[in-house]
Amino acid sequence: MRIPCSPGILLMIVCAGSPVLLARQNPTLQGHPEDYVRADIEYGARVFTEQCAACHGETGDGVAGVNLRSGKFKNAVTDPQLRTVITTGFPAAGMPAFTLTPSELTGLIAYLRNMNTFDRGSSMAGDSTRGRTIFDGKGACLSCHRVNNVGSRKAPDLSDIGANRSAGSLERSLRDPSRQMFPINRPVHIVTRDGKVINGRRLNEDTFTIQLADEEGRLISVSRADLREYRVSTTSTMPSYEKELSAQELADVVSFLLSLKGQ
Ligand code: HEC
Ligand code: HEC
């Protein structure tokens, strides 16, 4: 049974699930600099300049009575609350509601939590034009991936990857693809009852069928009843670019990926 919350001492004991107290117990909800990924902070800094600095200023103190740089907010304690503040805005007080992609929001939160220590001068901000050149050229990403109807179907279509994945997780995908791989993308090896071997990438599974993209990128549906062997691997077939590309080049490619938001 839940005991209703009431002020006073009871609140301290009974309402331990309330956001403020929870934040005190769990430091990660307060937002500590070490909890945020550098790539997210850098992306957030860019989004802030584009969407927020006109009112709040680059230093975060452009609105009277609001100091974003302090990392403490009157209207939000936890990160989820901060998200709500940003997406709802304060229309009556002059801040519009913002429609942002999950990647942009993740970046903004990471940046707001680290605004006081983030040094733009030492930032390795990625350049999406340079990133595109690496993507098309030395990275040979299109030999497996597809963007806006160009490239191969062997690997996931990346046309809207920038809207869905945070800067930090994109960087991890490039450095350590297997660790970052989503279960749905796992490589599969199938042998059918009549001896046919199919290798490919898992797209979907239900009770009766498995859908996959084979090595040529063709979409295939196999009935479970027809399987002799079915193996799912947790090792990605994507190479790691950790050594292949410099830190600056990786930042450039991440910047290009973040610019892909569908059409
Ligand atoms: C058109 C001007 C304007 C823009 C653009 C704007 N804000 Fe604001 N923001 C305000 C005003 C005004 C307030 C103070 C509202 C109040 O006092 O009730 C505010 C308040 C806030 C607060 C609450 C501060 C606190 O201490 O609780 C946060 C967080 C915030 N803004 C973040 C952002 C972010 C992030 C962006 C960009 C996505 C942004 N704002 C864009 C005008 C703006
Ligand atoms: C040899 C083929 C191959 C090459 C080359 C390759 N990838 Fe991948 N990539 C894959 C496969 C297969 C997956 C799906 C499995 C996984 O997530 O690791 C993937 C996944 C990804 C993902 C995650 C997609 C998602 O939906 O989660 C990103 C981002 C990505 N690749 C970016 C790149 C970039 C950028 C390059 C070039 C610098 C590149 N890849 C080169 C095969 C490749």
Side-chain angles (χ1 to χ4, degrees), residues 134-135 138-145 154-158 161 165 169-170 173-174 177-178 180-182 185-187 201 235-239 241 245 253 256-257:
I134 298 164
F135 190 90
K138 104 186 221 198
C141 313
L142 290 172
S143 65
C144 294
H145 290 282
K154 274 188 230 166
D157 189 315
L158 300 176
I161 195 83
R165 295 274 303 274
S169 86
L170 288 172
S173 277
L174 296 178
S178 295
Q180 188 62 19
M181 179 166 58
F182 285 85
N185 278 332
R186 285 179 181 158
R201 180 170 52 88
T235 309
S236 175
T237 50
M238 169 160 156
Y241 285 86
L245 300 176
V253 173
F256 169 62
L257 294 174

Side-chain angles (χ1 to χ4, degrees), residues 47-48 50-56 63-68 70 72-76 82 85-86 89-90 92-96 98 100 105 108-109 112:
V47 178
F48 187 86
E50 286 162 10
Q51 311 229 30
C52 321
C55 295
H56 288 284
V63 171
V66 175
N67 181 7
L68 296 182
S70 69
K72 292 208 174 63
F73 309 95
K74 282 177 286 186
N75 298 284
L82 196 50
V85 163
I86 298 170
F90 301 96
M95 170 158 158
F98 280 88
L100 298 156
L105 263 174
L108 274 175
I109 304 286
L112 287 180

Side-chain angles (χ1 to χ4, degrees), residues 6-251:
S6 64
I9 290 184
L10 198 62
L11 182 107
M12 299 295 291
I13 303 160
V14 177
C15 305
S18 78
V20 177
L21 290 176
L22 236 152
R24 240 176 251 147
Q25 290 162 358
N26 180 353
T28 59
L29 282 179
Q30 274 281 21
H32 281 230
E34 61 274 19
D35 297 333
Y36 301 94
V37 181
R38 175 107 198 153
D40 285 327
I41 301 173
E42 300 202 337
Y43 183 49
R46 186 146 19 118
V47 178
F48 187 86
T49 301
E50 286 162 10
Q51 311 229 30
C52 321
C55 295
H56 288 284
E58 284 295 354
T59 49
D61 53 6
V63 171
V66 175
N67 181 7
L68 296 182
R69 208 184 181 87
S70 69
K72 292 208 174 63
F73 309 95
K74 282 177 286 186
N75 298 284
V77 176
T78 64
D79 285 0
Q81 289 168 342
L82 196 50
R83 276 172 193 261
T84 307
V85 163
I86 298 170
T87 50
T88 323
F90 301 96
M95 170 158 158
F98 280 88
T99 306
L100 298 156
T101 65
S103 341
E104 289 169 334
L105 263 174
T106 303
L108 274 175
I109 304 286
Y111 178 59
L112 287 180
R113 292 297 191 190
N114 291 277
M115 218 174 157
N116 50 353
T117 52
F118 181 70
D119 177 4
R120 279 174 190 262
S122 74
S123 143
M124 202 185 299
D127 177 294
S128 90
T129 310
R130 283 199 310 250
R132 156 129 248 170
T133 307
I134 298 164
F135 190 90
D136 293 348
K138 104 186 221 198
C141 313
L142 290 172
S143 65
C144 294
H145 290 282
R146 198 169 177 83
V147 171
N148 299 335
N149 301 319
V150 179
S152 161
R153 287 198 174 86
K154 274 188 230 166
D157 189 315
L158 300 176
S159 303
D160 60 0
I161 195 83
N164 305 314
R165 295 274 303 274
S166 70
S169 86
L170 288 172
E171 191 187 84
R172 282 196 299 278
S173 277
L174 296 178
R175 289 184 188 271
D176 191 354
S178 295
R179 225 187 90 215
Q180 188 62 19
M181 179 166 58
F182 285 85
I184 199 62
N185 278 332
R186 285 179 181 158
V188 291
H189 172 81
I190 284 174
V191 183
T192 60
R193 280 187 190 283
D194 50 15
K196 207 168 132 204
V197 177
I198 310 169
N199 290 306
R201 180 170 52 88
R202 182 160 65 161
L203 295 175
N204 202 6
E205 263 187 52
D206 56 39
T207 322
F208 303 107
T209 64
I210 297 158
Q211 285 113 53
L212 64 144
D214 75 2
E215 282 168 320
E216 275 74 55
R218 285 179 300 233
L219 304 184
I220 297 180
S221 179
V222 191
S223 161
R224 283 188 193 272
D226 292 339
L227 296 182
R228 184 191 299 164
E229 199 182 319
Y230 177 41
R231 269 188 284 139
V232 182
S233 164
T234 51
T235 309
S236 175
T237 50
M238 169 160 156
S240 163
Y241 285 86
E242 176 118 61
K243 299 205 174 69
E244 209 67 30
L245 300 176
S246 70
Q248 180 65 61
E249 287 172 323
L250 285 169

